[in-house]
Amino acid sequence: KNRVYTIGEALIDFIPNEIGVSLKDVVGFKRVMGGAPSNVAIAVSKLKGNSTFISKVGEDAFGSYIIDKLKEFKVDTSWVYKTNKAKTGLAFVSLKDDGQRDFSFYRNPSADMLLSEEEVEDINLKQGDILHFCSVDLIDAPVKKAHKRLIEKALKTKTLISFDPNVRLPLWESSKSCLDAIREFVPYAHILKISDEELNFITGIEDNEQAIKSLFIGNVEWVIYTLGSKGSLIVTKDNKRFEFPGFDVNACDTTGAGDAFVGALLFKLLAKSMNILSLKNIIEEDLKEIFRFCNAYAALTTTKNGAVDAMHTMEETIEFMENLS
Ligand code: ATP
């Protein structure tokens, strides 16, 4: 059976009980599982696709919580290592009234950063599988080499590669180091997902159309540009553009909407046994069906608090879409 493999950070987010308070003044926090790659694995699994998460956590209570949570969602955890050399990464978050967030990260280094290339050596990717990664763990640490090794294996086996940079600048020494890492990995991906706020930062180009064009380097076949409530735009290597409007929902928390979107997309590509050639040859009708589903799935997650606990099932998504039409 084919599966989606996601690699990268698994963290505990401490989200504030009070909103509109600066981080220094938050009194109470709630612990939730965080990290974009694990959110994507959970979305795929919620939709009843096979997913494996590849990472490392500390031999501590938070590491055990992450593994329990992944298992609860039926994500394969065989490649989640435990170490006593570092603790599970933590992030404390405050939420301002305007929805802006402040972060304080405890990651010096965190366990996920210690995942080594040797530890991913025995993962057998095959054609029909999908490998997905983000940028947080492209930091200068052993885990960056683990990404490279897996990508090498994916290229050899014609596994589809997906990259959602998910920029988190406070985790980097400088914005240049973040940018360099993202630009180094863009050419490996067949599918690149960029959000509205990231496009100009990553490309350094003001004009959106030119910016998107500049991303077609190396393997890149599809650039998917997400626009929050406005939906998403996909551009293909041969410069075809398709826009898919967002769904009108009562959004209360958009955390993880991007991850839900990617999870829904990878689930669809997996279910359709897509490969690199079928990405190139996809017809408009199929694109429409896929991206309408992704927009619906992501919109639905914004109607519930949190990221992981807001992921819906296939039945709930179909019901939501049917009630609209
Ligand atoms: P994240 O906050 O998880 O990093 P992102 O910035 O990567 O998200 P967005 O562009 O905000 O990604 O959202 C991804 C997708 O989620 C959108 O393309 C859209 O389909 C859906 N979405 C996000 N916000 C809303 C909303 N308020 N209403 C309806 N759909 C939404």
Side-chain angles (χ1 to χ4, degrees), residues 172-204:
W172 294 82
E173 209 179 292
S174 63
S175 50
K176 186 179 180 303
S177 53
C178 175
L179 204 51
D180 287 347
I182 292 173
R183 287 181 176 172
E184 181 184 344
F185 280 76
V186 162
Y188 293 125
H190 302 108
I191 298 168
L192 192 60
K193 183 250 176 212
I194 308 279
S195 74
D196 203 8
E197 311 92 56
E198 291 167 342
L199 181 65
N200 310 109
F201 169 73
I202 290 172
T203 60

Side-chain angles (χ1 to χ4, degrees), residues 101 164 166 168 193 195-197 226-229 231-232 246-249 251 254-259 261 294-296 298-299 302:
R101 290 177 287 187
D164 173 2
N166 234 307
R168 292 287 177 269
K193 183 250 176 212
S195 74
D196 203 8
E197 311 92 56
T226 60
L227 300 145
S229 61
S232 49
F247 287 85
D248 199 5
V249 288
T254 61
T255 314
D259 303 333
F261 183 95
C294 297
N295 280 341
T302 69

Side-chain angles (χ1 to χ4, degrees), residues 34-91:
S38 53
N39 287 345
V40 171
I42 286 172
V44 171
S45 185
K46 266 282 209 180
L47 290 165
K48 297 229 160 55
N50 293 316
S51 69
T52 296
F53 178 53
I54 306 161
S55 188
K56 190 178 264 194
V57 295
E59 258 175 40
D60 50 46
F62 295 127
S64 302
Y65 174 71
I66 286 172
I67 292 176
D68 283 356
K69 205 71 191 164
L70 288 163
K71 285 189 173 153
E72 181 189 319
F73 287 104
K74 305 205 165 45
V75 173
D76 169 33
T77 57
S78 342
W79 298 100
V80 180
Y81 289 86
K82 277 185 151 188
T83 179
N84 57 16
K85 299 214 166 65
K87 297 275 192 191
T88 303
L90 309 179

Side-chain angles (χ1 to χ4, degrees), residues 31 35 91 95 116 147 158 198 225 236 278 299 306 315:
R31 66 102 166 79
L95 253 181
S116 69
H147 277 69
K158 299 199 163 65
E198 291 167 342
Y225 178 49
T236 63
S278 44
E315 292 73 26

Side-chain angles (χ1 to χ4, degrees), residues 224-271:
I224 297 153
Y225 178 49
T226 60
L227 300 145
S229 61
K230 291 199 225 85
S232 49
L233 168 74
I234 149 159
V235 182
T236 63
K237 194 177 197 156
D238 51 1
N239 205 21
K240 291 201 189 91
R241 301 162 60 90
F242 304 92
E243 260 182 77
F244 301 100
F247 287 85
D248 199 5
V249 288
N250 255 334
C252 67
D253 181 2
T254 61
T255 314
D259 303 333
F261 183 95
V262 173
L265 172 66
L266 301 187
F267 166 79
K268 278 283 181 190
L269 301 182
L270 189 72

